[in-house]
Amino acid sequence: MSESIYITLSQTGTTVAKIIKFFTRKPYNHSSISTDLSLSEMYSFCRTYTPFPLPAGFNREIVGEGTLGLFSYIPCEIYEIPLSQLQKDKFCTILEHFKQYRDDYSYNILGFWSIPFRIHIERKNKFVCSQFVAFMISEAGIPLTKPVCMYSPEDLRHLPEARLIYRGELNKYYAQFTRSHAELPAKMSM
């Protein structure tokens, strides 16, 4: 039996996001990971308090809330990565570890600056969003082609195992997914 995880790459309208996009010239500058297609809960390393870029760390993201709730239009791509049941179990175990020990982890400010300049800096218990996603994929048993600390959101778009399943607007995706699955039981009961 095969399971999947889902990577969401997005471009919010925060000032930091606009600055990153200006320098990278890439369409997406944030990455999150989820265990289900609904994206009801995504996880990433990002700002802890909506109005301020710092402090930042391991956080749960919900479409329509926090920073993702500030913008009515968030361009995104969603990728599916198939896993075996064993890999998915391992992924979920590691995710639970991050949830339980969230305060032991922090945002990798040096990593934020080192990735665009291709400087290899590994820091214990510190991640930027794309490093965290790459770490989770690697720990689940998917081989990566370079060190976790070198991954950018753009690199995640080109993972051989990743299959693009949606390109568009994040709020629209979430609303359509929620609506279509809410209607399903009503249709089945007829």
Side-chain angles (χ1 to χ4, degrees):
M1 183 174 146
S2 180
E3 296 285 335
S4 293
I5 53 175
Y6 302 89
I7 298 172
T8 301
L9 303 175
S10 59
Q11 172 67 34
T12 64
T14 65
T15 302
V16 173
K18 290 176 183 176
I19 291 169
I20 295 169
K21 186 172 183 176
F22 176 80
F23 285 106
T24 65
R25 304 282 191 230
K26 302 299 181 192
Y28 308 104
N29 60 50
H30 183 61
S31 55
S32 309
I33 199 156
S34 180
T35 57
D36 67 276
L37 186 57
S38 72
L39 306 181
S40 59
E41 288 185 1
M42 299 184 291
Y43 296 91
S44 188
F45 272 68
C46 54
R47 58 181 67 201
T48 301
Y49 304 106
T50 302
F52 310 107
L54 295 173
F58 175 75
N59 287 297
R60 179 178 69 157
E61 296 181 300
I62 298 174
V63 178
E65 296 182 17
T67 303
L68 297 178
L70 295 176
F71 305 98
S72 60
Y73 186 79
I74 302 173
C76 76
E77 288 181 351
I78 301 169
Y79 291 85
E80 178 180 32
I81 296 180
L83 300 177
S84 68
Q85 186 62 57
L86 185 63
Q87 289 172 318
K88 181 76 177 262
D89 291 344
K90 188 171 184 183
F91 178 92
C92 290
T93 299
I94 297 163
L95 185 58
E96 286 304 315
H97 170 84
F98 273 92
K99 291 178 189 179
Q100 185 174 356
Y101 297 101
R102 140 180 226 281
D103 292 339
D104 293 346
Y105 295 91
S106 60
Y107 194 79
N108 188 0
I109 294 174
L110 284 178
F112 177 82
W113 295 107
S114 67
I115 293 171
F117 296 106
R118 293 179 168 79
I119 300 169
H120 183 128
I121 299 176
E122 291 185 38
R123 300 186 71 208
K124 185 178 178 183
N125 294 354
K126 295 182 184 293
F127 298 92
V128 299
C129 61
S130 53
Q131 292 169 340
F132 169 69
V133 170
F135 175 82
M136 292 297 292
I137 292 166
S138 174
E139 290 296 303
I142 303 292
L144 299 178
T145 58
K146 59 184 176 180
V148 164
C149 67
M150 301 299 288
Y151 273 82
S152 69
E154 181 67 18
D155 294 323
L156 297 171
R157 297 177 78 197
H158 305 289
L159 292 171
E161 296 79 11
R163 180 176 66 92
L164 179 66
I165 59 171
Y166 178 81
R167 178 182 290 130
E169 201 280 314
L170 184 60
N171 295 297
K172 183 178 177 182
Y173 170 86
Y174 186 71
Q176 287 176 338
F177 190 92
T178 304
R179 187 171 46 250
S180 69
H181 285 75
E183 293 169 0
L184 190 59
K187 289 179 184 175
M188 293 175 70
S189 65
M190 294 179 159

